[in-house]
């Protein structure tokens, strides 16, 4: 399961899907539930984005 979740296509899907839901949730759901849904989905999106950046190969200068 870890291999599947750490694959680049899955990370891109998690990043983009959760980012869109985080932006739309406060408008689609009223009150605290919408805000907290946006915050939770935003946290998942940031985690997936961080994993994408961390998994990038480092360039060698020289």
């Amino acid at each position: 399961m870890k291999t599947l979740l750490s694959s680049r296509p899955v990370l891109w899907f998690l990043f983009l899907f959760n980012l869109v839901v985080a932006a739309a949730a406060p408008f689609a759901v009223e009150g605290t539930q919408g805000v907290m849904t946006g915050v939770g989905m935003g946290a998942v999106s940031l985690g997936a984005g961080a994993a994408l950046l961390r998994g990038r190969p480092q360039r060698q200068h020289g």
Side-chain angles (χ1 to χ4, degrees), residues 29-53:
V29 181
E30 292 293 323
T32 306
Q33 185 177 3
V35 172
M36 293 309 293
T37 301
V39 168
M41 293 294 211
V44 173
S45 180
L46 287 174
L52 282 169
L53 289 176

